[in-house]
Amino acid sequence: MATSATNLRTTSLSHKLSSLSISSNNKLSAFSLTVRQPRLKSRFIVLSANLDAKPTVLVAEKLGEAGLKLLKEFANVDCSYNLSPEELCTKISLCDALIVRSGTKVNREVFESSGGRLKVVGRAGVGIDNVDLAAATEHGCLVVNAPTANTVAAAEHGISLLAAMARNVAQADASVKAGKWQRNKYVGVSLVGKTLAVMGFGKVGSEVARRAKGLGMHVIAHDPYAPADRARAIGVDLVSFEEALATADFISLHMPLTPTTSKMLNDETFAKMKKGVRIVNVARGGVIDEEALVKAIDAGIVAQAALDVFTEEPPPKDGNLVQHEKVTVTPHLGASTVEAQEGVAIEIAEAVVGALKGELAATAVNAPMVPAEVLTELKPYVMLAEKLGRLAVQLVAGGSGVKSVKVTYGSPRAPDDLDTRLLRAMITKGLIEPISSVFVNLVNADFTAKQRGLRITEERITLDGSPESPLDFIQVQIANVESKFASAISETGEIKVEGQVKDGIPHLTKVGSFEVDVSLEGSLILCRQVDQPGMIGKVGSVLGEENVNISFMSVGRIAPRKQAVMAIGVDEQPKKETLKRIGEIPAIEEFVFLKL
């Protein structure tokens, strides 16, 4: 049995790349690496250059001078702005790197037009919605972004909107410019002593919290990954999502837009808020159901809103939301300061230059190519690993910071014959991506986990059997957290899920101390029940009546007539009323719905 900690491991693809290079001075111009096309599917991404030739970088949108200076020290730089899609495709075949902001679409056609020369795409900013990641990876092109330089600017803009909203600055300004003098109409509210709920306690959220504390506000935060000690260090209490909604006078949104956070603020959540709450959003427009927000304002639940981002940008100029007198709006200015723009330029320039030198950037958002034979063998286990991570993190109750994860591999192979980097990366992906905008892959998995204070240790148990199969099982345990589903807690107090691959399909085989057997496809309902006749039929009937198709069902129990856990695979997401009906079955003690 061998144990290793993620943040102590140093093996990375960059080591493999360096072992392939021939260089006397570590400069790209000193060597040339080529890959024969027939072996495209079984190679790592390797950057190539002609002897003594400078690479060419195409900058397709405005970039700060400091970033351009860095690029010009290493490469030939072509600044060509406002290119049409056709012009971009024509130019790209002559370029080794491309830098864009949000206005340029880097789609499959761009990568195909590059003829294999394009080696790195740099997105000057955080979001990469405009880059086709799948096409980039297929064409051996690394994609990097600049996720940190905008932090202070976004936080300052959030505080600006908070104060402007509280004192009706925008509305009063428009009134005076219209020739009016309405002092009584624009009486505001004080920030001192009010409770601010920061939803998403990452880089921007924590900076907003610091500034709000300086304004005399009581700050609480909700973020399942935020370490409690980091929050306490700046005087912030971590609370559940429900508590944040119920107690906040002001809510500031700082979460990414993911399937989990899409329309997180909706009719149901607005109904749970304190009457007169005020909302600031400098994160992503889609986290708010905009129609529901207008209704909540008109109903008096939400007193005011200040928005820098919208579901559709620019938003309809005659829309009810933008034109509402109680809504303050700005045109996505979170990162729009001179200092932030220069910081982004430097950050993306450094990432692009590093990638062209053959270094694997910590801000890479797509994976390098993996040898085909390794990927083929591990493919079903890769799927199992991600789904176990995704399953485990959804079992964590709100307010619990995920800091310690243990992964156990049961394998008949010797430790040296099983490379778990890809599996660990996919577990990290499953743990982080559901509630984050970060794209986790083999390149950035360990960095991303460390950045979030997430320590992943690995343990390998050598089993008897044929080494023909790489793994017998994978087990994921999350320590020191509370669970939405108490039965997922093992005898030693951790959330524990375990899975195997059966006939090429990932299966969940253990939840807590209960053994189950259900395919990890679609979505999953877990129910703890009293073990008695008719339970499968009762739950199945409820789902059938609501036209929810069951793909698999398994029951694990401790002993006859004692407690049992039922695992149900479903093809569709049941309505909340359907889940409520299941919970009302007398013998059902607890249940949870999980998206896979």
Side-chain angles (χ1 to χ4, degrees):
M1 184 183 300
T3 304
S4 62
T6 291
N7 51 4
L8 297 178
R9 295 172 67 99
T10 58
T11 304
S12 71
L13 281 178
S14 59
H15 295 165
K16 292 185 179 293
L17 290 178
S18 62
S19 68
L20 295 172
S21 63
I22 303 172
S23 174
S24 60
N25 58 6
N26 275 337
K27 291 184 179 179
L28 185 64
S29 60
F31 66 87
S32 175
L33 293 175
T34 59
V35 179
R36 292 183 177 87
Q37 288 302 314
R39 299 191 63 185
L40 179 64
K41 292 186 177 180
S42 60
R43 64 178 175 88
F44 291 95
I45 288 177
V46 178
L47 304 180
S48 62
N50 294 326
L51 191 64
D52 296 326
K54 273 189 172 186
T56 297
V57 178
L58 172 60
V59 180
E61 294 183 68
K62 189 172 175 60
L63 194 70
E65 284 300 323
L68 291 175
K69 182 179 178 182
L70 278 172
L71 291 171
K72 290 175 181 177
E73 290 173 356
F74 177 77
N76 298 314
V77 179
D78 176 0
C79 294
S80 296
Y81 306 147
N82 302 315
L83 294 174
S84 68
E86 294 76 18
E87 290 170 334
L88 176 60
C89 288
T90 300
K91 269 185 169 290
I92 205 65
S93 63
L94 303 175
C95 302
D96 302 281
L98 169 66
I99 295 179
V100 299
R101 302 188 78 87
S102 60
T104 302
K105 301 294 182 184
V106 189
N107 54 26
R108 181 172 293 276
E109 187 178 358
V110 173
F111 292 106
E112 291 174 349
S113 299
S114 74
R117 179 167 175 176
L118 186 64
K119 300 173 185 69
V120 56
V121 172
R123 163 67 168 95
V126 180
I128 50 154
D129 304 353
N130 55 318
V131 181
D132 188 331
L133 288 179
T137 302
E138 288 174 26
H139 288 79
C141 182
L142 201 65
V143 180
V144 294
N145 68 349
T148 62
N150 294 340
T151 298
V152 170
E156 289 178 345
H157 195 57
I159 291 294
S160 298
L161 287 177
L162 182 78
M165 172 180 61
R167 298 305 298 269
N168 299 301
V169 171
Q171 293 86 347
D173 173 74
S175 175
V176 173
K177 288 177 177 176
K180 300 176 183 178
W181 193 260
Q182 299 172 299
R183 294 182 65 194
N184 292 334
K185 182 176 181 180
Y186 296 116
V187 175
V189 295
S190 178
L191 300 179
V192 174
K194 298 298 195 304
T195 296
L196 170 67
V198 176
M199 310 298 271
F201 200 65
K203 290 185 176 67
V204 177
S206 57
E207 290 299 325
V208 167
R210 291 177 192 276
R211 287 158 176 75
K213 293 286 292 183
L215 294 172
M217 302 187 79
H218 170 59
V219 182
I220 59 177
H222 170 71
D223 188 325
Y225 277 108
D229 53 352
R230 182 163 65 88
R232 282 195 298 269
I234 58 176
V236 174
D237 298 321
L238 290 179
V239 299
S240 68
F241 182 68
E242 289 73 20
E243 184 177 349
L245 293 180
T247 59
D249 300 300
F250 292 80
I251 294 175
S252 189
L253 302 178
H254 302 286
M255 71 279 284
L257 179 60
T258 69
T260 303
T261 62
S262 179
K263 295 188 177 180
M264 178 176 279
L265 296 194
N266 50 43
D267 288 324
E268 183 179 351
T269 49
F270 284 129
K272 296 178 181 178
M273 294 179 186
K274 179 189 288 189
K275 187 172 183 180
V277 68
R278 290 170 168 83
I279 296 171
V280 176
N281 187 12
V282 294
R284 287 290 184 268
V287 301
I288 297 179
D289 182 333
E290 293 175 351
E291 290 185 8
L293 175 59
V294 172
K295 287 192 290 183
I297 294 173
D298 290 340
I301 298 172
V302 176
Q304 291 175 292
L307 310 173
D308 185 49
V309 288
F310 305 88
T311 302
E312 177 188 345
E313 294 187 355
K317 60 183 179 180
D318 55 351
N320 293 336
L321 181 65
V322 171
Q323 296 299 328
H324 205 294
E325 187 181 20
K326 295 182 179 180
V327 177
T328 300
V329 293
T330 53
H332 205 146
L333 297 178
S336 295
T337 66
V338 172
E339 295 81 2
Q341 294 303 305
E342 285 297 295
V344 167
I346 292 171
E347 186 174 6
I348 199 60
E350 289 176 341
V352 167
V353 169
L356 287 173
K357 288 179 178 179
E359 301 166 2
L360 290 171
T363 58
V365 293
N366 68 330
M369 303 296 275
V370 175
E373 60 274 15
V374 174
L375 186 57
T376 299
E377 182 180 56
L378 289 181
K379 184 176 181 179
Y381 301 96
V382 165
M383 295 170 59
L384 173 64
E386 181 181 356
K387 287 180 181 291
L388 287 176
R390 192 173 292 269
L391 186 71
V393 77
Q394 289 183 76
L395 289 168
V396 176
S400 300
V402 178
K403 293 188 292 184
S404 178
V405 176
K406 179 181 177 182
V407 182
T408 303
Y409 308 100
S411 173
R413 294 187 180 178
D416 292 342
D417 292 334
L418 179 65
D419 186 347
T420 62
R421 289 177 303 153
L422 183 55
L423 299 174
R424 185 176 70 246
M426 296 308 289
I427 290 169
T428 305
K429 178 183 179 77
L431 289 167
I432 292 176
E433 279 195 0
I435 57 171
S436 171
S437 60
V438 175
F439 293 86
V440 180
N441 54 55
L442 185 58
V443 174
N444 67 359
D446 290 353
F447 173 83
T448 303
K450 184 177 180 180
Q451 191 179 44
R452 282 161 175 71
L454 179 62
R455 186 172 185 269
I456 302 178
T457 58
E458 294 178 291
E459 181 179 76
R460 304 182 192 186
I461 300 176
T462 303
L463 305 173
D464 294 332
S466 170
E468 187 174 314
S469 175
L471 283 166
D472 182 70
F473 69 83
I474 300 175
Q475 183 186 99
V476 177
Q477 297 181 71
I478 303 180
N480 304 316
V481 293
E482 298 178 1
S483 177
K484 297 176 183 176
F485 188 67
S487 301
I489 301 293
S490 66
E491 303 93 332
T492 52
E494 301 91 4
I495 289 179
K496 181 169 74 175
V497 292
E498 187 175 303
Q500 294 178 308
V501 171
K502 299 183 178 183
D503 297 323
I505 304 294
H507 279 242
L508 177 67
T509 55
K510 185 175 284 189
V511 178
S513 302
F514 294 89
E515 293 187 359
V516 296
D517 188 4
V518 60
S519 171
L520 289 173
E521 299 176 294
S523 297
L524 191 64
I525 300 172
L526 296 177
C527 302
R528 186 181 70 191
Q529 65 193 54
V530 177
D531 184 33
Q532 64 183 39
M535 291 304 300
I536 293 176
K538 290 179 181 178
V539 175
S541 295
V542 170
L543 293 172
E545 290 168 8
E546 298 293 339
N547 199 32
V548 176
N549 194 48
I550 297 174
S551 55
F552 292 93
M553 183 178 285
S554 173
V555 177
R557 62 186 185 179
I558 298 174
R561 303 287 178 169
K562 300 292 185 181
Q563 287 182 327
V565 165
M566 184 188 306
I568 309 160
V570 292
D571 293 334
E572 300 87 16
Q573 179 172 345
K575 297 177 181 177
K576 292 179 180 179
E577 294 77 11
T578 305
L579 295 173
K580 184 178 179 182
R581 287 183 60 193
I582 292 174
E584 290 172 348
I585 296 173
I588 298 291
E589 297 177 339
E590 63 170 344
F591 73 96
V592 64
F593 173 75
L594 305 165
K595 292 182 179 180
L596 299 175

